[in-house]
Amino acid sequence: MGLLTDPSVGHGALTSIFVRHHNRFCVVMYIASVVLFCMLAHYSLSSQTYFSENALLPGLVKGQLNDNTGSSYRDHFRELNAEAQHYETETPHAYLISKFKNLRLETYSHNFTLNYPLKNNTKYTGRNVYGILRAPRSASIESIVLSVPYRSPSSVFHSTLPGLAVMFQIAQFFRHQIYWAKDIIFLVTEHEQLGMQAWLEAYHGTSCGSLGVLDSGKLSGRAGAIQAAINLEIHSDKIDHIDIKLSGLNGQLPNLDLVNLAHRLCNKESVRHTFNNVDGGAIGRNKVNSYYTNLSTMLSMVMTQAMGVPDGNHGLFHRFGIEAITLEGYEKEGRGIYSSVLQVGRVIEGMFRSLNNLLERFHQSFFFYLLPSTDRYVSIGLYMPCLVLLVGALFLKAFSTWIQHSSEHKLGDSSEQATIPEHLNVGMVSVITLGSHVFGLLLLPNLAPAYFTHFWNHIPTSRAIYLGYGSLSLTIIFLLPIIMKKCLNSFKSSNWVLLHVICLLELGIGLLCVSMHNFSLGYLIALVYVLPAVCTKSSQNSFTVKCLWILVHPMNLLLWISTYITYTIYKNEISITDYFTNILEVSSQWMVMSTVDNMIYGNWAFTVGVLLLLPVWTAFWCLMFLPTVVSKKMKTE
């Protein structure tokens, strides 16, 4: 508050320059942020990946897995494939339990129930199967997880039966080794991420979503504290490449050492490995092409992280302090060199033997980073200034607006300045600010969607939710201007400036808070909202500025994203009518999935939208139409 009340503030030469030309500085800071972010993909600003934890020692691991250590991969896969044909839409639980028992593992099953939150009396049940290999050299203090999601033949996703066969082969091989110091859990989950979430909640005795939505049940058997997890999604015995996935729930990332370990061992076993399906080693010597490839890879990571949705079952481990990644093996199409499942098995063997060497949890290396390729990374110290420049523009605008308005009113002596001579109607400013947040609070995923689905119970859930949020948004857009003009005719310029400063500061602080946990989400939001916020002035706002704020309404942002996704999928393959129909369908599906994800997994992407973006947007929209009584025309540049 010292900057806002000190009479001497604003008289310095440097301060006066910033205040007079703050709009130009804000634009320069915005452009500098974008340019700096794009430069991060360049070789000179990214660093070579390395190991911070020497205990992993991946270079000393010599793979011993082979087809002579018991039943071969083909035997396991043949049994699995034959069994799956009898369960077109279900999971063969009895077979999996029998298989784990034949491998001489402690075998357990885990039942869970989902009480669908958007439709009363609707329940879904599931069952996980897992086996535990007890470490002969410890007392079940720590453990490592190898998981595979089971997908029936009717699943819309790629088959994971080859991955299950690899798991059985590895379990059989691991059982004969005596060097294990950690328990190894072999987990087969049902219903994709839902089964993994239920198992993790039951393992840790907690609930991460809304109360009563996911009944995770109880586990009959447990191992030690989980140190790391590897999730397998192998789709064929002829593998073109292994894509290493790492984005977790709400943008969390695993320790970079674990990611480097996977890439290093893939390279050692001559398995082609990628990040976001881009091979860092195959870029070539062309520096221009290399830069654009790195930039597109980094941008794809930013987009994936910003969504807050895990790109594999591994992403649900991170919130429990467990480092985890997914290894997805894509099928080789056509002729050419491919990697065998035996090579991939040796990669997994090497990772588990390296993780077995760890004496403590992952704590070195980076937890915050961006990857432009498989062997280079950008640390938080380099990409965070990009966001600071954008937030700094908001703070500079707030400071300059306050100082400009204060300097118009001087008391007697020119050396003495009053902060704000007019009476501040703090109550009215508080009503607008708090009202916008109460409005967002009422639209939380565990409140409004249930009411919308009950009110419009004759239409699908996704359309009911989209219709509810859309109708409320239109009401706010058209009704607030009328209320502002008729009810607040005596709203003074000082109060306008106070509300403007509060909006700018709240947006800036909110972006910093979001980016500390999910930089990608915070940065993308800043790119969208900083320019409209900076363009808002204390005088009558132009029609262009009002249109700009309508375009960046959270509901409209969802429409623009859905438009881009629909275009990339269909392009010119469908008619205009079908194109717009698909846009609305994608938008409504995203809203219902975000609502359900919030209530089951605790995904807060939707919460950020209704508790930060919507209240800030509403307050700025009120600002557009507030009539002000101005005693003196404000200084303009």
Side-chain angles (χ1 to χ4, degrees), residues 26-213:
C26 290
V27 173
V28 170
M29 293 169 73
Y30 187 94
I31 296 174
S33 173
V34 176
V35 172
L36 177 59
F37 182 80
C38 293
M39 290 175 59
L40 294 177
H42 194 269
Y43 183 87
S44 59
L45 289 181
S46 61
S47 303
Q48 183 76 32
T49 56
Y50 62 93
F51 282 97
S52 299
E53 180 57 79
N54 292 327
L56 293 173
L57 298 175
L60 299 182
V61 175
K62 182 178 180 180
Q64 298 176 351
L65 179 68
N66 56 66
D67 281 340
N68 297 323
T69 56
S71 300
S72 67
Y73 160 83
R74 295 190 180 278
D75 294 334
H76 294 302
F77 181 71
R78 191 181 303 111
E79 291 180 13
L80 270 170
N81 200 37
E83 193 70 25
Q85 300 306 317
H86 297 90
Y87 297 88
E88 187 69 22
T89 59
E90 299 177 357
T91 302
H93 300 104
Y95 168 78
L96 294 174
I97 292 174
S98 175
K99 192 68 176 178
F100 277 140
K101 287 183 177 179
N102 290 339
L103 294 173
R104 299 182 183 178
L105 302 176
E106 290 186 19
T107 306
Y108 306 95
S109 62
H110 165 235
N111 298 313
F112 60 92
T113 303
L114 172 66
N115 301 305
Y116 191 63
L118 300 180
K119 189 172 292 186
N120 294 332
N121 301 321
T122 302
K123 296 185 178 182
Y124 301 94
T125 60
R127 188 180 182 188
N128 301 320
V129 178
Y130 64 102
I132 301 176
L133 173 62
R134 297 294 179 181
R137 302 178 62 183
S138 70
S140 296
I141 298 175
E142 298 175 337
S143 62
I144 314 171
V145 173
L146 178 62
S147 67
V148 177
Y150 182 85
R151 294 171 183 169
S152 62
S154 61
S155 175
V156 296
F157 301 105
H158 295 293
S159 173
T160 57
L161 293 183
L164 270 175
V166 173
M167 171 189 278
F168 292 152
Q169 186 181 20
I170 290 175
Q172 189 169 16
F173 169 74
F174 282 1
R175 187 174 57 83
H176 296 288
Q177 311 308 313
I178 62 173
Y179 45 69
W180 299 115
K182 295 178 172 63
D183 295 340
I184 300 178
I185 303 173
F186 299 93
L187 172 64
V188 181
T189 58
E190 191 175 22
H191 301 318
E192 301 294 333
Q193 295 181 12
L194 183 63
M196 181 61 75
Q197 178 69 20
W199 189 84
L200 284 170
E201 288 187 3
Y203 196 92
H204 293 90
T206 186
S207 178
C208 303
S210 299
L211 186 64
V213 175

Side-chain angles (χ1 to χ4, degrees), residues 6 27 41 80 192 215 338 343 422 430 547 590:
D6 188 357
V27 173
L80 270 170
E192 301 294 333
D215 182 6
Y338 63 87
Q343 290 174 276
E422 299 176 274
S430 300
C547 290
W590 185 91

Side-chain angles (χ1 to χ4, degrees), residues 428-438 498-499 502-503 506 615 619:
M428 188 58 65
V429 174
S430 300
V431 167
I432 296 175
T433 305
L434 294 178
S436 61
H437 285 82
V438 171
L498 177 61
L499 180 59
I502 290 175
C503 291
E506 181 183 1

Side-chain angles (χ1 to χ4, degrees), residues 300-336:
S300 66
M301 178 181 177
V302 168
M303 297 300 295
T304 303
Q305 186 185 19
M307 294 177 63
V309 179
D311 53 0
N313 284 1
H314 69 279
L316 300 174
F317 283 88
H318 299 158
R319 64 153 30 116
F320 298 97
I322 303 169
E323 311 310 317
I325 58 173
T326 288
L327 305 180
E328 183 171 9
Y330 288 88
E331 182 178 3
K332 174 65 177 180
E333 297 181 357
R335 298 182 178 180

Side-chain angles (χ1 to χ4, degrees), residues 261-301:
L261 175 64
H263 285 298
R264 188 71 61 89
L265 284 170
C266 284
N267 191 56
K268 178 178 178 293
E269 297 295 337
S270 300
V271 176
R272 182 172 170 241
H273 53 103
T274 64
F275 172 65
N276 283 347
N277 291 310
V278 177
D279 186 354
I283 294 175
R285 297 182 179 180
N286 190 311
K287 293 184 179 180
V288 176
N289 293 338
S290 176
Y291 167 75
Y292 283 115
T293 302
N294 289 345
L295 179 60
S296 63
T297 304
M298 187 175 70
L299 289 176
S300 66
M301 178 181 177

